[in-house]
Amino acid sequence: MGHAYVGAVSQRTERFDADYYRRFYGRSGVHDARRIAQLAAGVTSLAAWWRIPVRSVLDVGAGPGFWRTWLAGSMPKVRYHGIDVSEHACRTHGHELADLATWWPRRRYDLVVCQSVLQYLDDRACARAIDALAEACRGLLVLEVPTVADRDGVIDPDGTDLDVHWRTGAWYRRRLAGGFTEIGGGLWLSRRCPAPFFELERAR
Ligand SMILES: C[S@@+](CC[C@H](N)C(=O)[O-])C[C@H]1O[C@@H](n2cnc3c(N)ncnc32)[C@H](O)[C@@H]1O
């Protein structure tokens, strides 16, 4: 059992090597610094509008660490913590090596970012990871995960890793509802966040 677990972790780590990032972060890749700068500026402005303080950010499956770069330049006082299962990403970008399938937070963060990661976890690990995200978050969650509907109608198959776990939006929403209220635009509000929202500012 112990050996199987170690094997599973190193398999994950090996999958996300330098080649993986070269392949999916090319010209039409997953994200780039400019696009994440647009998102980060928008999310932190909305947080300020809703009077949700952003003093700490957790980036889960942080990969190239575009949020780290943007925060260092635009909000240098914010404490950033990145975690990733990839030894390559951790070595190159300074994240903590951790597997979201088994990781549990030791503290809470104002803003949690989880972009393009949950699809790599099987159902059981993913459900547990969503609980861990809820435990880690006391403000906003930025969540991006491709669903079955995205695969069939939105995703560019040439620039996307299709060898992942495909689930429905309903599957994710059911599990996220325990810890978060859906705002829309990929933003989720922690149920422990006291910021008051008008009814029509939220999706549900
Ligand atoms: C498509 S990249 C996304 C990186 C970054 N979040 C972004 O949006 O550019 C997927 C990342 O998830 C990480 N990842 C995959 N499975 C993971 C796991 N079980 N625990 C932690 N990180 C994981 C990979 O190492 C990789 O860096």
Side-chain angles (χ1 to χ4, degrees), residues 14-34:
E14 279 164 22
R15 174 174 184 174
F16 304 106
D17 59 5
D19 272 353
Y20 169 89
Y21 294 100
R22 261 196 297 276
R23 183 165 165 215
F24 293 112
Y25 285 87
R27 264 191 315 149
S28 61
V30 184
H31 298 129
D32 59 35
R34 191 182 60 87

Side-chain angles (χ1 to χ4, degrees), residues 71-187:
L71 287 164
S74 302
M75 297 179 78
K77 288 195 179 141
V78 171
R79 285 188 309 277
Y80 171 95
H81 186 69
I83 68 168
D84 203 293
V85 80
S86 158
E87 276 173 16
H88 170 81
C90 292
R91 214 174 30 245
T92 315
H93 304 288
H95 310 312
E96 177 195 355
L97 185 66
D99 183 350
L100 190 53
T102 51
W103 172 85
W104 196 254
R106 287 188 296 267
R107 51 157 296 186
R108 295 213 167 101
Y109 299 82
D110 299 321
L111 178 63
V112 174
V113 177
C114 184
Q115 289 186 276
S116 203
V117 181
L118 291 182
Q119 71 269 29
Y120 289 105
L121 277 62
D122 65 28
D123 287 3
R124 193 174 161 167
C126 185
R128 185 190 183 281
I130 288 171
D131 290 346
L133 294 179
E135 181 65 24
C137 185
R138 64 178 168 218
L140 291 174
L141 166 70
V142 177
L143 180 70
E144 177 195 305
V145 54
T147 65
V148 172
D150 298 330
R151 179 194 59 194
D152 298 343
V154 178
I155 277 171
D156 167 11
D158 292 333
T160 309
D161 190 356
L162 300 173
D163 182 17
V164 296
H165 297 274
W166 293 103
R167 292 174 279 256
T168 63
W171 189 98
Y172 285 104
R173 284 200 167 96
R174 242 190 335 273
R175 280 144 188 100
L176 284 157
F180 299 96
T181 302
E182 185 168 3
I183 296 174
L187 289 180

